[in-house]
Amino acid sequence: MITFSENKLKEAQRIINRYPQGKQKSALLPLLHLAQDEFGGWLDVPAMDYIASLLNIEPIEVYEVATFYSMYNLKPVGRHVFEVCQTGPCMLRGSDQIIDYIKQRLQINVGETTPDGMFTLKTVECLGACGYAPMMQLGKTFREHLNEEKVDQIIEECRSKAARNN
Amino acid sequence: MPKIFIDNTSYEVKAGKNVLEACLTLGFDLPYFCWHPAMGSVGACRQCAVKVYKDENDTSGKIIMSCMEGVRDGMHLSIDDKAAKAFREQVIEWLMTNHPHDCPVCDEGGSCHLQDMTVMTGHDYRRYDYKKRTYVNQYLGPFIHHEMNRCIQCYRCVRFYKDYAGGKDLNVFAAHNHVYFGREKDGTLESPFSGNLAEVCPTGVFTDKTLRQHYTRKWDLTSAPSVCQHCSVGCNTIAGERYGGLRNIVNRYNAEVNGYFLCDRGRFGYEFVNSENRITKPQVMHQAVDENALMHHLETVLTNHSLIGIGSPRASMESNFALLDLVGKENFFCGVYNEEMMLERRITDILDSGKIPVASLKQIEDADAVVILGEDIWNTAPMMALAVRQSVMKTGGREATEKTPMPEWHELAVKELQQNTKGFMVNVTVTETSLDEIASLNINAAPDDIARLGFAIANHIHPSLELKNFEEAVLAKAKTIADELLKCSNPVIITGTSCYNDPVLRAAFDIAAALKAAGKAPAIAFVVPECNSMGLAMMRGHAFDTAVRRVNREPNVTAVILEQDLYRNLPAGIVDEFLSKCRNIIVLDSLNNATTEKAHVLIPASTFAEGDGTLISYEGRAQRYYQVYVPDNKYIRESWKWLSRMKMIISGKANGHDPHHDSVISSLETALRQFAGISAAAPSSGFSIHGEQIPREPHRYSGRTAMLANRNVSEPKPVADGDSPLSFTMEGYQGTPPSSAIPFFWKPGWNSPQAVNKYQQEIGGDLIGGNPGVRLFVKSSGNMPEFFKDYPEHFRERQNKWLLLPQSHVFGSDELSVYSAGIAGRSPEPYMGLSPVDAKMLDVTEGSQVTIKSEKEEYSFPVKIVESLRNGIVLVSKGLPGTQGMSWGNWVELAK
């Protein structure tokens, strides 16, 4: 059975304690994020069951929530996840081309991960940065005013970062 | 009453309703999906759009969702408005972008709400030429078939399954265009109310899997109004037949009883009718005989012998009365011991007195507090448990919304306000039950202690007795409960015979009587074991003990045993003794069982599907079920017809005609005063509208001229039904029949079960012409003390003896429904429940085999340790194979 490390467990308890007695289920979203960070960037069934046990709710209640939000990955993802916005304004500014370019560069389709486990391509709905369209989210940062050169740059950046860390 | 204007015509509507309900009540065809009269509005599907105007001068108006808007006096709206119509059509068009065009192979076709609504809005051309999204379907168990591609995301399934019925294993996953309704993984839907998904789902995502085994379109079914045979609640059903086999059971709306829903035992238990185990030919000494030989033999065994009859709690009033009429009142017995009969007599005495009214399921739903004493209604009367759940949830909703203007139908808003607020419900049972999770207070105790708590509650509400030797803890609990009950206005007390304990029944009465004395309007409900237990109890036959004494005394007795397996309710030794002493044994039944094996003369009786009859439910409601079809087998007839024939043999008129249903019912009314009024349960056989009978077949019924061509190329003449105003044809009155004789719900444009809208006085209200059934306990005729006051002694464990009590199971404890494969598959293995302390004392662990010794019988079961069980009690699964004939309520010995 998988468990949080001691530190993460403390963090989880702190989140759970934010909510009044009997409303522990409210801690579900932050706990899922915590689990996603802790367990390799995605949520497998044992991880979700573990969260259910922490909150004393039925596993099915966790699945319901985890499958609803696109921010939770239910399949393994690469080290870097490109979440490209494809909502109206970005689309008008050429997000379709950006997506096609990434597909071609990485040789993967939307929802897939490169064989080396480095990149995952996802499309998402509006991220609230329409003024900088087309854009995508990479980890915790927005990458804006995308074009082919910028995409090349970002891919390079990710690769070199990975090389440094290995 | 508010006046509203729909397309410039004024109508008076009921205040407090939403616009959709008002329009449907007025008879307008307004499409909808997510709204359901029993579950309120959420405004999710956008289908019921209408245009609302500020006033009569406003010409532009705005589109609103009619289910989310309350009616206001002077409101101007338009259903026919061009923009509103286009909007509604567009909604269907969106839904259809993903809905498969598989109607011809879809089980829902012909009774599909989505089909009806699509036609109603006029959408007929697909402009969207991309792929449809597809899903993997799940295995959901023996009752429900899953086909997710057809889903239109109305959310009704989870709203029913989780919110309304409290199920936990059906949920909604994902978002956007890939929403998925199902379980977390393949597996049986656990809720005993899962079958309602087939009717709640507006399309073919959830369909009746048993119907699939022998599929027939709704329009091809010969159907008749029926009454469920599988517990004492008496839910109204519609049973459908084709090619001589029963095909399905669907809900028949009755606002006072089951409303829009049924439990799975009632919906899927019907297959016993088609069972291989049916008795198909008369037998004399185990040899099949024809009718002449049977009659000849009956003549010898019926004349020159003294006759006794054993009445049946699962046979109709007609059959029981025909038996009583045949053998005489003093020779009419019931197949239960005196102790059990006294319980049922206590119940009829209390109800007869008219002191406290009986609660219908509707009244239970509307109650603002519920006390359950000693009955596991989730398992013995599932639909009553569902009604209790509604009481708890609705009362919680009402309390939460009291200070807001939020209307009751606005489900989302009410839920938000309600959060965890629940109505008051106390569940006092022998062991834990599935209702515990919504109860305000759960108490597990031995039957005598349940009764004591009940008396203590009554005493707190209305001090009338001196309580001696009561523990402080019990008094404190009683005070808490009494104080809560005193805050309510129309509480319901529910109890039943499952504890085999008379004081529990008396305590329930005392609580109700005390509440009445305190100025409340209480009602009471007594759950009894079988579908006509109440009717049989009202007949006041003698107990089986007396019958045994009688045959021991008298050598020349012919016993006529009506539709029951004596070995189920009585110890085998006693039944063996009784049967061995009878000179002749005549048994009438539909299925072979241990008793029919002992019959000297065995007569095939019809089931509810092949015959007419009246059952009396727990509330004393007499309800008529009609013959659905004429079986090919001419020997299968109602017991009352066979018994009347026997009577003719005795009186030397063997060639007379079979009596009609009307004459049996009117003789019953004359002979037994307590049944006066029962004939009003249904129109008489002579009833017709404009000279026309009510057809059992829809006007679209297909294949009539050809379906029997393999036997005879000429279309056979339809059989005349002498017993009811229903005909076995497609022809007849096409309008709305009397409410107790509705063979199917259909109106032009409304093929799905939602056609029931058109049969109601108001949406979700009573049927046009009143709800079916007559309640027989309306006159106060009996005498009843003001309070019983006689509380029992504290329950004491006995040395080496245990009190044997039944654990009922929704699936398995009922005799007939287990002949349906699905129900049999969901029956648990029988077990013996012991408290942890008792198990330790006996030195047994979970799964060890332990033997129960009672009188002459021995039974052996694996042990299950039940934490919530009191010491000194042993709990055994009721009605499962190997648990028949146990002496419930008695003290037994246990041995490893």
Side-chain angles (χ1 to χ4, degrees):
Chain A
M1 166 144 171
I2 59 163
T3 47
F4 279 145
S5 64
E6 207 172 309
N7 267 346
K8 287 273 175 176
L9 199 58
K10 257 189 209 148
E11 171 72 6
Q13 273 313 329
R14 194 186 59 76
I15 296 170
I16 293 171
N17 290 338
R18 274 193 225 152
Y19 302 99
Q21 194 61 33
K23 301 276 183 191
Q24 273 69 25
K25 196 182 170 183
S26 306
L28 183 51
L29 291 182
L31 249 52
L32 283 174
H33 278 302
L34 206 62
Q36 186 158 289
D37 289 348
E38 176 88 348
F39 306 127
W42 69 291
L43 296 167
D44 58 357
V45 171
M48 291 192 278
D49 291 354
Y50 174 58
I51 300 298
S53 71
L54 283 183
L55 295 174
N56 203 12
I57 57 179
E58 298 288 326
I60 194 170
E61 295 178 76
V62 179
Y63 308 159
E64 180 186 35
V65 170
T67 56
F68 182 84
Y69 293 102
S70 58
M71 295 78 141
Y72 299 120
N73 301 311
L74 301 176
K75 281 188 284 188
V77 289
R79 185 181 288 201
H80 304 285
V81 183
F82 291 175
E83 295 176 279
V84 188
C85 174
Q86 54 164 6
T87 310
C90 281
M91 187 184 245
L92 288 174
R93 300 276 297 141
S95 65
D96 281 358
Q97 287 87 321
I98 296 294
I99 293 166
D100 285 343
Y101 183 70
I102 298 174
K103 280 192 201 167
Q104 176 224 318
R105 270 298 310 265
L106 300 176
Q107 290 296 302
I108 50 171
N109 273 318
V110 173
E112 290 178 355
T113 303
T114 51
D116 60 359
M118 191 69 78
F119 298 103
T120 298
L121 173 60
K122 281 171 85 175
T123 55
V124 295
E125 301 307 327
C126 187
L127 290 167
C130 310
Y132 319 105
M135 59 78 66
M136 69 171 174
Q137 183 170 350
L138 173 61
K140 286 185 173 144
T141 54
F142 282 178
R143 295 307 178 93
E144 295 151 355
H145 298 302
L146 295 177
N147 52 33
E148 294 189 356
E149 293 75 56
K150 267 211 176 142
V151 170
D152 286 341
Q153 223 177 313
I154 292 168
I155 291 174
E156 218 30 65
E157 184 189 314
C158 291
R159 286 215 169 110
S160 59
K161 205 187 208 171
R164 268 206 311 280
N165 289 350
N166 277 344
Chain B
M1 271 166 95
K3 200 184 210 181
I4 63 169
F5 297 84
I6 302 175
D7 291 309
N8 297 321
T9 312
S10 75
Y11 300 92
E12 289 215 327
V13 295
K14 203 168 159 183
K17 299 279 167 187
N18 62 48
V19 173
L20 176 60
E21 289 171 316
C23 290
L24 291 171
T25 297
L26 291 169
F28 288 98
D29 286 342
L30 188 55
Y32 60 86
F33 287 115
C34 67
W35 170 82
H36 188 288
M39 295 185 276
S41 310
V42 289
C45 73
R46 321 314 281 171
Q47 187 58 71
C48 62
V50 294
K51 206 167 225 188
V52 168
Y53 302 92
K54 254 189 290 191
D55 49 45
E56 65 265 41
N57 302 321
D58 179 9
T59 50
S60 48
K62 61 169 182 177
I63 284 180
I64 55 134
M65 297 308 127
S66 61
C67 72
M68 297 301 281
E69 195 92 358
V71 292
R72 294 185 305 274
D73 195 33
M75 190 176 205
H76 282 260
L77 59 101
S78 170
I79 296 172
D80 275 342
D81 176 78
K82 250 191 184 165
K85 273 172 110 170
F87 186 97
R88 298 197 295 259
E89 190 181 337
Q90 202 179 29
V91 171
I92 291 272
E93 188 175 7
W94 290 332
L95 296 177
M96 284 295 165
T97 58
N98 280 320
H99 188 81
H101 280 180
D102 65 346
C103 298
V105 295
C106 173
D107 288 2
E108 193 84 353
S111 56
C112 176
H113 188 59
L114 178 61
Q115 275 181 337
D116 289 349
M117 298 301 104
T118 307
V119 174
M120 194 179 285
T121 57
H123 166 70
D124 58 1
Y125 183 80
R126 182 180 177 83
R127 292 185 290 169
Y128 180 83
D129 40 320
Y130 300 95
K131 275 192 179 166
K132 296 179 180 184
R133 54 109 178 83
T134 53
Y135 295 106
V136 175
N137 301 320
Q138 286 180 330
Y139 167 80
L140 296 179
F143 300 142
I144 292 291
H145 180 77
H146 193 221
E147 195 77 51
M148 249 316 282
N149 290 349
R150 299 179 183 139
C151 182
I152 57 163
Q153 299 88 37
C154 72
Y155 283 70
R156 266 187 179 188
C157 53
V158 284
R159 285 171 58 214
F160 171 78
Y161 196 90
K162 286 171 68 185
D163 301 351
Y164 193 92
K168 291 196 177 61
D169 57 334
L170 181 84
N171 226 324
V172 50
F173 304 98
H176 311 305
N177 211 11
H178 50 279
V179 178
Y180 192 90
F181 296 88
R183 295 185 82 250
E184 59 187 78
K185 51 178 183 258
D186 283 21
T188 303
L189 285 173
E190 282 153 19
S191 167
F193 306 104
S194 69
N196 295 303
L197 292 175
E199 287 188 53
V200 163
C201 175
T203 174
V205 179
F206 300 99
T207 50
D208 178 344
K209 202 181 246 180
T210 66
L211 173 64
R212 254 175 113 73
Q213 320 289 333
H214 36 233
Y215 185 69
T216 306
R217 293 253 176 251
K218 182 183 176 186
W219 69 66
D220 278 342
L221 289 169
T222 302
S223 33
S226 200
V227 176
C228 184
Q229 313 276 313
H230 305 295
C231 83
S232 65
V233 171
C235 294
N236 292 197
T237 59
I238 289 172
E241 172 269 357
R242 190 159 172 100
Y243 282 117
L246 199 59
R247 299 301 172 109
N248 72 342
I249 293 279
V250 292
N251 170 271
R252 179 162 62 96
Y253 182 84
N254 183 329
E256 286 167 41
V257 186
N258 47 306
Y260 292 88
F261 306 116
L262 293 177
C263 77
D264 288 359
R265 177 152 104 191
R267 187 183 297 270
F268 302 114
Y270 68 91
E271 283 172 307
F272 75 91
V273 173
N274 308 331
S275 162
E276 293 280 304
N277 193 36
R278 285 293 297 271
I279 298 162
T280 51
K281 268 204 108 177
Q283 294 171 18
V284 173
M285 296 300 173
H286 299 282
Q287 295 299 311
V289 293
D290 65 10
E291 191 157 352
N292 277 339
L294 172 72
M295 288 303 157
H296 190 74
H297 186 77
L298 281 177
E299 200 168 342
T300 57
V301 298
L302 287 173
T303 46
N304 306 321
H305 290 82
S306 132
L307 291 180
I308 64 167
I310 314 286
S312 163
R314 63 165 162 86
S316 66
M317 279 320 301
E318 290 81 346
S319 295
N320 276 303
F321 173 68
L323 178 61
L324 181 140
D325 196 37
L326 174 73
V327 299
K329 206 171 172 182
E330 60 294 347
N331 304 316
F332 184 77
F333 301 88
C334 305
V336 289
Y337 268 160
N338 196 38
E339 290 90 354
E340 194 179 333
M341 213 170 72
M342 293 321 284
L343 296 176
E344 284 166 11
R345 192 152 291 178
R346 172 76 68 196
I347 292 171
T348 50
D349 282 348
I350 291 175
L351 297 180
D352 229 12
S353 75
K355 284 247 163 70
I356 308 290
V358 205
S360 66
L361 289 198
K362 171 78 179 147
Q363 282 163 314
I364 294 174
E365 279 185 20
D366 292 344
D368 53 5
V370 177
V371 179
I372 302 171
L373 281 193
E375 187 75 21
D376 176 6
I377 55 172
W378 186 273
N379 285 306
T380 59
M383 283 300 290
M384 191 181 284
L386 191 63
V388 168
R389 186 180 160 83
Q390 303 325 307
S391 156
V392 172
M393 294 305 175
K394 278 190 195 166
T395 308
R398 263 195 303 272
E399 277 172 17
T401 52
E402 235 157 40
K403 291 187 184 79
T404 71
M406 206 44 78
E408 216 179 312
W409 49 260
H410 201 313
E411 200 216 349
L412 273 182
V414 172
K415 248 169 79 180
E416 275 303 312
L417 284 164
Q418 180 172 359
Q419 296 290 325
N420 290 337
T421 322
K422 291 193 179 74
F424 186 68
M425 192 266 275
V426 189
N427 197 20
V428 193
T429 45
V430 174
T431 178
E432 77 244 28
T433 75
S434 298
L435 270 180
D436 288 355
E437 61 180 46
I438 53 162
S440 320
L441 197 59
N442 287 307
I443 298 164
N444 296 126
D448 281 340
D449 292 338
I450 292 176
R452 282 167 71 87
L453 176 66
F455 282 110
I457 297 170
N459 193 56
H460 264 293
I461 296 169
H462 185 88
S464 58
L465 50 154
E466 280 173 32
L467 301 176
K468 280 181 200 145
N469 303 326
F470 269 69
E471 305 78 354
E472 280 306 315
V474 172
L475 291 175
K477 270 181 200 160
K479 185 174 182 311
T480 319
I481 298 168
D483 288 346
E484 283 296 329
L485 287 175
L486 282 169
K487 289 181 204 158
C488 305
S489 60
N490 54 337
V492 167
I493 317 299
I494 295 173
T495 181
T497 53
S498 288
C499 276
Y500 292 85
N501 185 295
D502 184 42
V504 169
L505 305 178
R506 297 196 305 253
F509 173 82
D510 272 19
I511 299 177
L515 285 164
K516 192 177 171 190
K520 309 289 172 186
I524 198 161
F526 294 98
V527 177
V528 287
E530 306 255 0
C531 60
N532 200 28
S533 289
M534 194 62 94
L536 186 62
M538 287 169 74
M539 288 178 77
R540 303 198 159 241
H542 307 288
F544 193 70
D545 324 26
T546 333
V548 177
R549 283 201 293 277
R550 171 81 175 271
V551 291
N552 272 322
R553 205 171 57 225
E554 216 178 307
N556 198 21
V557 169
T558 292
V560 186
I561 301 167
L562 177 64
E563 298 184 32
Q564 69 192 307
D565 181 4
L566 292 174
Y567 288 96
R568 264 182 86 84
N569 292 327
L570 296 158
I574 306 288
V575 182
D576 284 342
E577 182 195 340
F578 170 76
L579 294 177
S580 67
K581 293 283 167 58
C582 293
R583 184 67 166 274
N584 300 295
I585 305 161
I586 304 174
V587 179
L588 301 103
D589 213 336
S590 52
L591 291 158
N592 286 299
N593 57 42
T595 306
T596 61
E597 268 170 39
K598 295 283 172 74
H600 301 151
V601 181
L602 181 58
I603 300 175
S606 68
T607 63
F608 73 97
E610 300 123 347
D612 286 88
T614 307
L615 297 176
I616 296 180
S617 76
Y618 81 90
E619 49 166 328
R621 182 186 293 270
Q623 299 188 109
R624 173 77 181 275
Y625 62 87
Y626 292 88
Q627 184 172 14
V628 184
Y629 63 102
V630 184
D632 281 342
N633 183 341
K634 62 175 180 176
Y635 295 116
I636 291 183
R637 286 173 222 168
E638 294 100 326
S639 293
W640 55 265
K641 280 193 180 143
W642 284 114
L643 290 163
S644 306
R645 192 141 276 271
M646 290 185 209
K647 175 112 194 252
M648 286 188 252
I649 292 174
I650 295 176
S651 49
K653 289 181 243 157
N655 295 326
H657 288 291
D658 279 339
H660 284 314
H661 183 267
D662 291 346
S663 62
V664 179
I665 278 288
S666 66
S667 323
L668 165 64
E669 265 185 331
T670 333
L672 304 174
R673 214 169 33 87
Q674 63 271 42
F675 293 101
I678 193 171
S679 60
S684 68
S685 64
F687 175 88
S688 65
I689 305 172
H690 307 312
E692 288 186 307
Q693 287 191 304
I694 301 151
R696 282 178 173 86
E697 294 163 1
H699 65 292
R700 287 176 182 152
Y701 189 84
S702 66
R704 179 174 79 173
T705 55
M707 61 190 288
L708 297 174
N710 57 333
R711 287 187 229 163
N712 185 350
V713 290
S714 309
E715 184 191 337
K717 189 176 167 214
V719 183
D721 185 352
D723 298 316
S724 84
L726 272 64
S727 73
F728 292 103
T729 61
M730 306 152 64
E731 289 84 7
Y733 182 65
Q734 300 293 333
T736 303
S739 59
S740 57
I742 300 172
F744 50 85
F745 291 107
W746 183 89
K747 287 285 161 180
W750 296 79
N751 300 290
S752 78
Q754 325 262 338
V756 68
N757 290 343
K758 302 276 182 183
Y759 290 74
Q760 295 165 334
Q761 295 174 21
E762 65 167 311
I763 298 303
D766 296 342
L767 286 172
I768 294 168
N771 293 306
V774 265
R775 288 171 73 153
L776 298 176
F777 297 118
V778 281
K779 344 161 251 300
S780 48
S781 44
N783 286 319
M784 186 60 37
E786 198 180 346
F787 294 102
F788 284 109
K789 299 185 187 179
D790 46 351
Y791 56 86
E793 282 297 307
H794 181 57
F795 175 79
R796 270 179 232 289
E797 295 154 42
R798 296 192 190 171
Q799 192 76 36
N800 297 325
K801 289 240 179 190
W802 279 262
L803 180 64
L804 175 63
L805 290 175
Q807 169 65 55
S808 291
H809 300 282
V810 183
F811 304 113
S813 291
D814 169 58
E815 180 181 356
L816 299 178
S817 59
V818 286
Y819 286 99
S820 303
I823 302 245
R826 292 201 56 190
S827 307
E829 288 297 315
Y831 64 84
M832 173 194 299
L834 282 175
S835 76
V837 174
D838 282 348
K840 204 167 171 195
M841 199 188 78
L842 286 162
D843 192 22
V844 293
T845 51
E846 187 98 7
S848 322
Q849 284 284 329
V850 170
T851 305
I852 294 182
K853 294 180 185 167
S854 82
E855 294 178 32
K856 289 174 197 159
E857 275 74 30
E858 286 195 1
Y859 308 86
S860 191
F861 303 104
V863 167
K864 182 176 165 190
I865 294 170
V866 184
E867 295 282 342
S868 57
L869 197 60
R870 274 292 316 267
N871 304 335
I873 298 175
V874 57
L875 210 60
V876 173
S877 309
K878 192 182 185 187
L880 299 181
T883 71
Q884 284 94 343
M886 301 198 75
S887 26
W888 307 115
N890 285 326
W891 291 83
V892 295
E893 284 172 32
L894 300 182
K896 264 213 280 191

